Amino acid sequence: MAGTTIGEALSFAQRAIERFDAQYMLARLMLRSRASLIANLDATLDAEVAKTFRDWVDQRAAGKPVAQIVGVREFYGREFAVDEHVLIPRPETEVLVEQALARLSKHFWSEMPADRRLSVLDMGTGSGAIASTLALENPQLAVTALDCSPEPLRLARANAERLGARVSFLQSDWYVAVGEQRFHAIVANPPYVAREDAHLQQGDLRFEPRIALTDESDDGLSAIRCIVDGAQGHLHPHGWLLLEHGYDQAERVRSLLNAAGFSAVESVKDLAGIERVTLGRRPTQRAPA
Ligand code: GLN
């Protein structure tokens, strides 16, 4: 019996899953571009490839996110390994990275530390996409990344090593294990989906770690409150706090930062035009309580 062709495999897959996902997964499996698949629909698939592809299509049809099936997701132009223990990096989080890089540039730091290395802490690092990207985009930064669970830390460390990013990792429940250390910026994409949010039961979110998505609170702001409350004590004077948050939380996060005494508080929109990142700067003197 002649083997399955690329065209046959794709049209079979498209009965169960979206066309783009089918093309993307088969291209990954064959280490080729989607364009080259489409230009070679009559080529015969290797039996092993055809078998794995059928298995991937079944997994996708059962709802599993493509990134977990193929094991990687691109973020800021680099590939990060992902698994069921970490949030899949999202394009909107690139806004957080861009803003952090800008706020950690010389422009905002007339007095650089003697070793010229500004330090940044990434809280709840997951796959380490934010921390590794910061370290690779600005090798002068001293990047520390923490997570409360060992599995994400293992994955984040492997990602950093493969990409050649210099990052220090720390297992810590938010600030618990950070000690007295202070940073020039603190960044986080914390769990911010409210406990009862219907999205948690829908689509790809069902397969991502609940602990990375929701803080199990009614408003989704308890992790953000905890990070804001501890931030002044872990930032150098003039240090920046940058937080990703939900599509409808910007105003409340700005209020939290203002109430905690931050200055220059503002929110930044993502590519969809949604206020997605809110940031502020620690004043020289701690604001009176
Ligand atoms: N942006 C993600 C979503 O709504 C949630 C990420 C997070 O909780 N940090 O799917």
Side-chain angles (χ1 to χ4, degrees):
M1 193 187 87
T4 317
T5 64
I6 291 176
E8 287 164 353
L10 287 176
S11 42
F12 178 79
Q14 283 163 37
R15 282 187 243 144
I17 67 173
E18 284 193 29
R19 177 158 65 161
F20 177 87
D21 290 351
Q23 292 175 352
Y24 173 81
M25 291 198 299
L26 187 56
R28 277 222 74 98
L29 203 51
M30 299 181 73
L31 306 174
R32 288 164 62 167
S33 67
R34 282 172 54 233
S36 104
L37 287 195
I38 292 157
N40 291 286
L41 293 176
D42 293 332
T44 306
L45 285 182
D46 179 76
E48 269 308 299
V49 169
K51 185 161 164 284
T52 307
F53 183 58
R54 274 198 300 275
D55 175 49
W56 283 11
V57 171
D58 288 346
Q59 292 186 47
R60 182 64 191 137
K64 190 164 172 177
V66 171
Q68 286 181 3
I69 299 171
V70 306
V72 296
R73 172 53 49 93
E74 194 227 87
F75 181 79
Y76 223 92
R78 299 180 184 89
E79 272 187 6
F80 288 84
V82 299
D83 63 20
E84 69 280 10
H85 298 296
V86 301
L87 191 81
I88 299 166
R90 312 275 206 270
E92 56 266 30
T93 303
E94 295 186 350
V95 174
L96 180 68
V97 169
E98 275 164 17
Q99 287 297 322
L101 288 169
R103 310 287 153 162
L104 286 162
S105 69
K106 280 199 205 93
H107 176 71
F108 288 103
W109 295 91
S110 46
E111 285 173 53
M112 292 290 270
D115 64 358
R116 307 185 64 78
R117 279 169 76 84
L118 295 173
S119 58
V120 53
L121 173 66
D122 174 25
M123 303 187 75
T125 198
S127 67
I130 297 169
S132 281
T133 304
L134 290 173
L136 290 163
E137 292 294 319
N138 182 354
Q140 299 258 40
L141 292 177
V143 182
T144 303
L146 64 79
D147 205 283
C148 64
S149 323
E151 296 89 354
L153 283 174
R154 260 198 297 278
L155 188 74
R157 193 172 269 124
N159 273 326
E161 271 168 24
R162 188 173 33 78
L163 293 165
R166 271 180 44 196
V167 178
S168 306
F169 291 96
L170 177 69
Q171 187 171 348
S172 179
D173 184 4
W174 301 130
Y175 295 103
V176 172
V178 178
E180 299 293 292
Q181 213 177 332
R182 285 179 190 267
F183 301 86
H184 296 97
I186 294 174
V187 302
N189 174 17
Y192 53 66
V193 180
R195 180 180 48 207
E196 303 291 348
D197 192 311
H199 293 100
L200 292 169
Q201 317 303 334
Q202 293 167 12
D204 289 11
L205 261 56
R206 293 169 297 157
F207 292 79
E208 291 184 275
R210 196 175 158 94
I211 190 176
L213 291 165
T214 175
D215 56 1
E216 305 293 349
S217 72
D218 291 335
D219 61 3
L221 291 170
S222 76
I224 287 177
R225 270 191 208 96
C226 168
I227 293 170
V228 172
D229 285 349
Q232 298 241 7
H234 290 92
L235 282 171
H236 289 298
H238 301 304
W240 293 92
L241 174 63
L242 302 102
L243 296 167
E244 179 176 327
H245 49 69
Y247 69 96
D248 58 354
Q249 293 171 331
E251 199 179 328
R252 283 174 288 164
V253 177
R254 285 196 299 273
S255 302
L256 288 173
L257 262 66
N258 281 317
F262 280 86
S263 62
V265 174
E266 63 173 299
S267 299
V268 182
K269 290 182 177 158
D270 64 18
L271 285 175
I274 295 166
E275 289 183 322
R276 182 59 72 181
V277 169
T278 293
L279 54 91
R281 197 166 203 192
R282 204 205 112 162
T284 324
Q285 297 297 323
R286 226 192 140 129

